[in-house]
Amino acid sequence: MADIKSIHSTSEELSKTRTYGKVRCHNAECYHRIEVPPGAKQVKCPGCGAEWRIYWIEPTVPRIRGPVWDSFRKMREQK
């Protein structure tokens, strides 16, 4: 007889761990999770200092559009 441990599917279990309103830093040396204030157009990673342009798929779901090139160039010049 099969033992039923959970009544939720795998995707339902994974959806509980989903974080909304956050993005992961795209810097290959960082990958810090960044909390984005609602409606923000740019965000700075507290882990590495990289700045990212943000767009919103929905009012609660931000995504990284790309780097803020001026701050990215400054970071590269400092290294």
Side-chain angles (χ1 to χ4, degrees):
M1 182 175 200
D3 184 25
I4 300 174
K5 293 181 180 177
S6 175
I7 58 171
H8 300 288
S9 69
T10 302
S11 67
E12 288 172 333
E13 290 293 328
L14 287 174
S15 70
K16 292 177 185 175
T17 62
R18 178 84 176 127
T19 55
Y20 292 100
K22 294 182 181 180
V23 293
R24 191 166 294 277
C25 182
H26 284 195
N27 184 351
E29 299 170 356
C30 180
Y31 292 117
H32 193 90
R33 192 169 289 278
I34 308 167
E35 188 163 345
V36 182
K41 297 199 181 231
Q42 292 184 359
V43 66
K44 186 173 186 174
C45 176
C48 66
E51 290 187 63
W52 302 100
R53 293 177 287 131
I54 301 294
Y55 75 97
W56 295 83
I57 297 172
E58 293 179 13
T60 59
V61 182
R63 288 290 182 263
I64 290 178
R65 179 180 297 257
V68 176
W69 291 111
D70 291 339
S71 69
F72 228 71
R73 286 186 191 108
K74 288 178 186 173
M75 283 181 59
R76 291 192 69 156
E77 290 171 1
Q78 291 174 352
K79 286 186 176 183

